[in-house]
Amino acid sequence: MKERIERLKKLTYIPQNDIAWLIEQAELSVKQQEIIEENKRQQEVTVHQFRQAQKDIQHLSGDRKRYKQALEKIITNLNFAIQVAQNELDGAAE
């Protein structure tokens, strides 16, 4: 490819097939640039989605911790209520 470019630079008259090749290369370059730009855009979207997912996970982890603590308090209170009821039943049976 470099050889062909150097040869074209030296010509004052450029043959039709060389012009066609130049046009083809230019079109290919434009398509490649469009693909690169689209890939960058998709990468930015993916990074944004990943960061949002991280925030969601942190939020859900915090919710999970609060729910677990609340459930542990409920279980402790229920165990206490069961023990009180059991003591009352034991006292009534005596």
Side-chain angles (χ1 to χ4, degrees), residues 6 11 14-15 19 23 25 51-52 57 69-70 86 88:
E6 289 304 317
L11 294 175
I14 301 175
I19 290 176
I23 292 170
Q25 294 304 310
R51 288 185 179 148
Q52 186 61 45
I57 288 169
Q69 289 172 343
Q86 186 68 43
E88 288 180 8

Side-chain angles (χ1 to χ4, degrees), residues 29-39:
S29 177
V30 169
K31 287 179 185 177
Q32 288 173 339
Q33 189 61 38
E34 288 172 353
I35 290 170
I36 289 169
E37 289 172 7
E38 178 61 19
N39 286 344

Side-chain angles (χ1 to χ4, degrees), residues 12-62:
T12 55
Y13 165 77
I14 301 175
Q16 190 65 31
N17 61 342
D18 289 334
I19 290 176
W21 178 81
L22 282 173
I23 292 170
E24 182 180 305
Q25 294 304 310
E27 289 172 345
L28 180 61
S29 177
V30 169
K31 287 179 185 177
Q32 288 173 339
Q33 189 61 38
E34 288 172 353
I35 290 170
I36 289 169
E37 289 172 7
E38 178 61 19
N39 286 344
K40 284 181 183 179
R41 188 192 67 75
Q42 288 178 0
Q43 185 178 23
E44 289 171 1
V45 168
T46 301
V47 167
H48 176 74
Q49 289 173 337
F50 178 78
R51 288 185 179 148
Q52 186 61 45
Q54 281 182 319
K55 288 179 185 177
D56 292 346
I57 288 169
Q58 289 173 349
H59 178 74
L60 292 172
S61 294

Side-chain angles (χ1 to χ4, degrees), residues 67-87:
Y67 291 142
K68 182 178 178 185
Q69 289 172 343
L71 185 58
E72 287 171 349
K73 286 181 183 178
I74 291 170
I75 290 171
T76 300
N77 291 338
L78 286 174
N79 283 334
F80 178 75
I82 290 169
Q83 188 62 44
V84 168
Q86 186 68 43
N87 290 342

